[in-house]
Amino acid sequence: MRVVLAEDLFLLRDGLVRLLEAYGFEIAAAVESGPELTRALAELTPDVAVVDVRLPPTHTDEGLQCALAARRARPGLPVLVLSQHVEQLYARELLADGAGGIGYLLKDRVFDAEQFVDAVRRVAAGGTAMDPQVIQQLLDRSSAEDRPLGRLTPREREVLELMAQGRSNAGIAAQLVVTERAVAKHTSNIFGKLGLEVSDDDNRRVLAVLAYLDGGPR
């Protein structure tokens, strides 16, 4: 699996290269600026891009914007964005096209190698990997706005949070130490209470939940 990596801090970039190679990824390019990222994504057609939000020359959201531009040029290009802090705007921009192959993680997650590598693989496969802190902020904001989230049981809220992170029923069941049948029941109840169409496709249901949390139907 070929990866284009963009990170301006040398030590972190070198560490990510070594980590990904240790797990069998091929690093097609490891760059440090927005212009270099744009060229690499256009010329190398990677399987996935792992991109720091803030890159030279602007050190604002250069990395994100370069990745989104490449994704518009090549619809469905898998992109995993890394950020120092939770910014809901970044999550909204990533979700705007309603397609899969997207991820948004805080850089702290990189230090959990298996969690990080799992996120890269999930995004490369067309799935979704959203940081738990991003999901928690969306959940808290939605609750504050008195949406139907208040009708969810504590267990359903746990399932919803894991679902929004991009986990399958099997993954949720393992995390909560329950059966997949129980998770399926909770999922059905969640979609019913939120007024969303039930889907067996993991990525479609994640996107539906995220769209709801980020301003969907009330």
Side-chain angles (χ1 to χ4, degrees):
M1 189 180 298
R2 301 174 72 247
V3 180
V4 163
L5 171 67
E7 167 58 56
D8 64 320
L9 297 177
F10 171 77
L11 289 179
L12 181 54
R13 185 172 67 252
D14 185 62
L16 288 172
V17 167
R18 293 172 185 271
L19 171 62
L20 290 169
E21 287 181 337
Y23 278 83
F25 293 90
E26 175 189 346
I27 305 301
V31 302
E32 61 180 331
S33 71
E36 289 176 308
L37 174 61
T38 297
R39 285 194 297 272
L41 292 177
E43 297 172 3
L44 301 176
T45 58
D47 297 305
V48 61
V50 179
V51 179
D52 183 8
V53 166
R54 300 179 187 274
L55 291 176
T58 67
H59 289 286
T60 55
D61 62 350
E62 183 95 0
L64 175 67
Q65 296 306 324
C66 289
L68 291 175
R71 192 172 161 91
R72 288 192 292 270
R74 180 186 157 193
L77 169 67
V79 173
L80 174 61
V81 168
L82 302 178
S83 178
Q84 194 70 42
H85 308 287
V86 174
E87 292 284 353
Q88 291 183 23
L89 175 61
Y90 299 156
R92 286 198 295 272
E93 291 195 65
L94 282 169
L95 294 166
D97 65 5
I102 55 171
Y104 177 28
L105 294 182
L106 293 181
K107 285 188 175 181
D108 288 350
R109 307 297 173 191
V110 172
F111 298 108
D112 186 329
E114 291 189 1
Q115 183 183 52
F116 173 65
V117 168
D118 175 68
V120 176
R121 287 176 174 155
R122 199 186 313 160
V123 170
T128 305
M130 301 300 288
D131 195 282
Q133 288 192 36
V134 176
I135 302 305
Q136 190 59 55
Q137 284 200 13
L138 292 175
L139 281 168
D140 290 344
R141 191 194 69 182
S142 297
S143 296
E145 294 177 359
D146 195 30
R147 293 187 177 178
L149 286 171
R151 297 202 296 268
L152 300 183
T153 67
R155 177 61 89 184
E156 287 169 352
R157 189 179 171 97
E158 286 182 305
V159 171
L160 174 65
E161 186 170 348
L162 291 169
M163 188 193 310
Q165 290 173 27
R167 298 184 185 275
S168 64
N169 278 6
I172 295 171
Q175 180 77 18
L176 298 180
V177 195
V178 297
T179 65
E180 286 189 52
R181 183 175 180 181
V183 172
K185 182 178 179 180
H186 288 312
T187 300
S188 179
N189 290 340
I190 290 166
F191 274 79
K193 291 178 181 180
L194 299 186
L196 298 172
E197 181 180 352
V198 178
S199 172
D200 291 329
D201 181 86
D202 287 337
N203 197 57
R204 284 183 60 197
R205 70 179 190 166
V206 167
L207 293 172
V209 169
L210 289 171
Y212 181 88
L213 294 176
D214 197 40
R218 295 174 182 257

